[in-house]
Amino acid sequence: MAVRAHTAALALGLSAFLLPAAASAQALVVCTEASPDFLNPQFSSQNTAYDVAAQVYERLTATERGGSQIIPSLAESWTISDDGLTYTFKLRKGVKWHASRAFTPTRELNADDVLFSFQRMFDPSHPYNKVGSGNYQFFSEIVKPSLKAIEKVDDHTVKLTLSKPNAPLLSALSVEPMSILSAEYAAAMSKAGTPEQLDLAPIGTGPFSLTSYQKDAVVRFKAVPDHWTKAVGNRDRMALVNDLIFVITPDAAVRFAKVRSGECQIARYPNPGDLASMRAEASLNLLQGSIADQSFLAFNERKKPFDDQRVREALAYATNIPAILDAVYQGTGKAAAAAVPPALWSHNEELKPRPYDPEKAKALLKEAGLPNGFETTLWAIPVVRAYMPNGRRAAELIQADWAKIGVKATIQTFEWGEYLKRGRAGEHEVGMFGYTWDYPDPSQILLSGWTCEGVKSGANRAGWCNQEASDALAKANTITDQGERTKLYKRFQELFHKDVAGLLFANAQAFTPVRKEVKDYKIHFFGGQPFYGVSIAK
C-alpha cells in the first residue's frame, strides 16, 4: 500500500484517450477498478500500480504467468555461493529500452541500469533517492535488511552481496517494485532539470510501452515490435496484440455490462452476486482460482482504547463474520483465522475463528473499563478487491454488530490513493485493509505488514508490535530449512491470533470474466497481472 497518487505527464491530446467503439483483434481492452497510485512501482504496493508496471518494466527474475515458478527475465542466468551470501547475475543481451518524445535511448540495457535501480533505493545519498515519493516500502522491508552491496562485474554481470542469507530473495526480485529503470533516461531527465519525469513518464524494457495515462479514465499501451522475446521465440512472453487499454471503471456492475457487450474483453474484480449471471453468459468464460490473500480490520494500537487486547478481542467476538461471508463474499470466501492463508505453505490450520458472541464481547469491554462502549471511526475500503468485494457493505454490517455492544462506529472512506496515504500515516482508528502475496513465500506480507519495524515505517497499519513475533519472522527469513521456517511462521500466527493483531475476514477466491475470443489469459496470483502471451481470435 503506497502513499500518494500521481498523474503522469503523458497527455498526447484528447484523441489519445478515445477508445475504439468495439474491441478489435488488435486491441485488448481491460476494465479495471482504479487508477494506479504510482507509475513507478518502486514506490507502491498497490495492485493496479503493479498491473501497469507488469506491462512496461522487467526485473532480474520473473514468475510464470498463472503460476509461481521463478524463471529468468532480464537475468539470463544466475549463480549462488555455497554460503548463500553472493548472487551473481548474467544479464540478457539485446534488451532494448523504450523510446518516447522526450528521450531516445542510445544503448541497450546493461549493468549500469541494474546498479542505478538498486542504488537509488539503497543509498540515501543517491541523487535520485528523494526524487518522487522517496518511500521504497518493498525494497526497504524485504531486500535492504540483508543487502550489503551491489557491484558491476562487467557490462552484463552484476553481483549482489548479502550480510545474511535471505531465503526468498530470488522470488522477491521478481516483484514489480524491483523493476529495472534506465540509468541513461534518469541522467537525461536530471540534466534537463526534470528528474521527476523518470517516474511520471515510465520507460522500460517490457513487451508493452506506456503511451498515455489519464487518471481515473484510461491507461494505454502499445506493443513493442522488437522486444527481446521475438529473438528467442518465447511466444508466452510476447505482446500478441497491438494495443492494450485499461479502462478505469470503479463500478463492478458497469464492468460486467461492458464485458458482456464487448466494450471490454476482460473485466476484473466482479461482484460476487454477478457470478451466476457470468456463468450463464454464452459469450464469457469465468476464470476462477485460489489466491494467497489477507483481508482484515486493523485496530490502530497507537490510539486508545485499541492498545488494550481486551478491547480488540471484544470487537472480534462482536463481529458476525459468517453474516459478512454470506452478504459480502456470497460463497467466494471462507472465514480466516490464520495470518498465513491456506494457499501458502506454513498455514496454521489449528487456529479457528472466534465465534460470534456479543455477550462475551460485552464482558470483555466491561473488564477493560468500558461497560457502556465507546465511539470510533471505521474506514471502509473504497475499491473492489478479491479479498474484499464490497467494503462499504462489510462496514455497515460491522457497524450494526458493534452497536449491539454499545460501540458507535462512524463509517468513513476516501478516494483510493488518499485512503492509502492516510492509512500509512496511521490516521485511522479502525481501518479495513488487505494484501495479496506477490510471491509464494509467507515472509513477504508478514515482514512488510506485521513487524515492530513496520510500525515505524507505517507499513504495519495496526501498529501491533510483538517482539517475539517479529524475531520469529526475522529468523525465518535467514534459514533455508522449510520445516524450521514453518515452525517459526506457525508460532507467529499463534501470537497474531492471541493478541488479535487484526480481525481477519476471509480467504477468498479470485474470479475474472473473459470474453471467449480471448486466448491464453490466465489469472496471475502473484504480483501484477501481465497481458503478454494473450491474443484475440479473429
Side-chain angles (χ1 to χ4, degrees):
M1 297 175 184
V3 284
R4 188 175 169 192
H6 286 282
T7 301
L10 295 172
L12 302 179
L14 181 61
S15 62
F17 303 126
L18 296 178
L19 297 177
S24 75
Q26 298 302 313
L28 179 65
V29 183
V30 181
C31 282
T32 194
E33 86 298 349
S35 294
D37 56 347
F38 291 97
L39 293 179
N40 180 352
Q42 292 178 327
F43 303 146
S44 184
S45 63
Q46 189 234 57
N47 288 3
T48 315
Y50 284 16
D51 290 342
V52 171
Q55 323 313 320
V56 175
Y57 290 112
E58 293 175 300
R59 293 151 295 285
L60 293 177
T61 62
T63 55
E64 279 192 319
R65 211 165 38 89
S68 59
Q69 181 183 351
I70 304 303
I71 58 177
S73 183
L74 293 180
E76 194 169 40
S77 63
W78 54 78
T79 58
I80 307 171
S81 62
D82 291 340
D83 60 6
L85 296 179
T86 303
Y87 289 68
T88 304
F89 295 91
K90 288 288 185 181
L91 301 181
R92 192 180 298 278
K93 296 181 180 179
V95 176
K96 298 180 180 180
W97 289 100
H98 305 160
S100 72
R101 289 184 177 181
F103 173 74
T104 301
T106 66
R107 62 167 176 80
E108 297 175 347
L109 175 136
N110 64 27
D112 292 331
D113 302 308
V114 179
L115 260 65
F116 167 79
S117 302
F118 278 70
Q119 289 174 341
R120 176 192 188 175
M121 299 184 285
F122 184 60
D123 181 3
S125 65
H126 191 280
Y128 258 93
N129 181 263
K130 300 299 188 295
V131 175
S133 165
N135 190 322
Y136 309 100
Q137 178 182 324
F138 182 93
F139 177 81
S140 297
E141 292 159 2
I142 305 298
V143 179
K144 188 175 182 178
S146 63
L147 183 61
K148 184 177 180 180
I150 177 168
E151 305 167 64
K152 173 182 175 179
V153 178
D154 57 44
D155 280 349
H156 288 90
T157 311
V158 292
K159 182 169 68 174
L160 271 63
T161 303
L162 308 184
S163 58
K164 56 185 177 182
N166 185 338
L169 180 64
L170 289 176
S171 295
L173 295 180
S174 74
V175 180
E176 280 69 19
M178 301 306 299
S179 293
I180 304 304
L181 281 62
S182 168
E184 185 186 24
Y185 180 39
M189 294 301 98
S190 183
K191 183 177 180 180
T194 56
E196 67 281 355
Q197 289 302 299
L198 176 71
D199 306 317
L200 297 178
I203 288 174
T205 62
F208 292 95
S209 62
L210 182 63
T211 59
S212 62
Y213 168 43
Q214 184 178 14
K215 189 174 185 293
D216 298 328
V218 66
V219 190
R220 295 187 67 114
F221 307 86
K222 178 74 70 175
V224 175
D226 54 353
H227 190 252
W228 61 265
T229 51
K230 303 286 179 70
V232 300
N234 189 341
R235 182 180 174 83
D236 188 57
R237 300 289 304 282
M238 294 179 188
L240 300 180
V241 294
N242 290 343
D243 298 284
L244 172 65
I245 304 165
F246 288 0
V247 182
I248 311 302
T249 314
D251 190 321
V254 176
R255 293 197 295 276
F256 178 27
K258 286 186 174 183
V259 76
R260 184 161 48 186
S261 69
E263 291 181 63
C264 302
Q265 286 117 333
I266 299 171
R268 305 192 68 197
Y269 305 113
N271 277 327
D274 290 333
L275 296 179
S277 297
M278 291 174 182
R279 290 189 180 97
E281 180 62 48
S283 64
L284 300 178
N285 288 322
L286 183 62
L287 305 186
Q288 175 182 354
S290 297
I291 59 173
D293 69 324
Q294 187 184 83
S295 57
F296 59 94
L297 281 184
F299 305 116
N300 193 340
E301 297 184 30
R302 292 157 288 198
K303 298 182 178 181
K304 291 186 178 297
F306 305 107
D307 58 339
D308 191 325
Q309 188 271 349
R310 294 168 297 184
V311 172
R312 302 194 300 272
E313 189 165 26
L315 295 176
Y317 278 114
T319 305
N320 191 340
I321 294 295
I324 292 174
L325 292 177
D326 288 342
V328 176
Y329 290 85
Q330 300 183 43
T332 66
K334 183 179 179 181
V340 175
L344 291 177
W345 58 270
S346 83
H347 168 69
N348 193 335
E349 61 185 14
E350 295 179 3
L351 299 175
K352 305 300 178 186
R354 288 176 173 82
Y356 176 53
D357 191 340
E359 294 307 313
K360 188 162 188 175
K362 290 178 183 177
L364 283 166
L365 284 184
K366 183 176 180 180
E367 185 180 327
L370 296 166
N372 299 316
F374 58 94
E375 295 186 7
T376 190
T377 55
L378 171 61
W379 287 15
I381 191 170
V383 294
V384 175
R385 285 288 181 263
Y387 58 72
M388 176 45 69
N390 190 330
R392 182 74 190 193
R393 180 59 179 145
E396 290 169 350
L397 293 170
I398 294 167
Q399 181 187 52
D401 287 341
W402 290 1
K404 295 172 185 176
I405 64 167
V407 175
K408 182 180 179 182
T410 301
I411 298 173
Q412 291 184 342
T413 195
F414 307 93
E415 179 273 330
W416 185 222
E418 189 70 11
Y419 189 97
L420 295 172
K421 174 185 175 182
R422 289 171 178 257
R424 188 175 185 88
E427 294 182 18
H428 57 289
E429 292 183 313
V430 182
M432 192 179 293
F433 298 99
Y435 302 107
T436 53
W437 266 256
D438 296 310
Y439 52 87
D441 190 285
S443 61
Q444 183 207 349
I445 297 305
L446 304 186
L447 279 171
S448 64
W450 297 106
T451 63
C452 295
E453 292 76 12
V455 177
K456 302 171 188 175
S457 69
N460 185 334
R461 303 295 193 265
W464 173 65
C465 175
N466 181 307
Q467 196 59 55
E468 182 186 351
S470 286
D471 290 346
L473 293 180
K475 183 177 180 181
N477 208 49
T478 62
I479 59 179
T480 56
D481 186 286
Q482 188 163 312
E484 291 302 311
R485 296 184 77 202
T486 295
K487 291 177 183 177
L488 291 164
Y489 288 131
K490 286 192 172 182
R491 177 56 180 160
F492 168 87
Q493 292 169 81
E494 291 169 358
L495 295 168
F496 183 104
H497 188 268
K498 176 177 175 290
D499 283 1
V500 197
L503 175 56
L504 299 173
F505 289 119
N507 297 126
Q509 291 278 301
F511 296 86
T512 303
V514 178
R515 292 192 62 82
K516 288 187 175 178
E517 60 265 26
V518 175
K519 304 300 179 184
D520 297 320
Y521 175 82
K522 301 174 184 177
I523 300 176
H524 194 63
F525 299 116
F526 297 102
Q529 174 67 58
F531 290 91
Y532 45 73
V534 180
S535 61
I536 304 171
K538 296 181 180 180

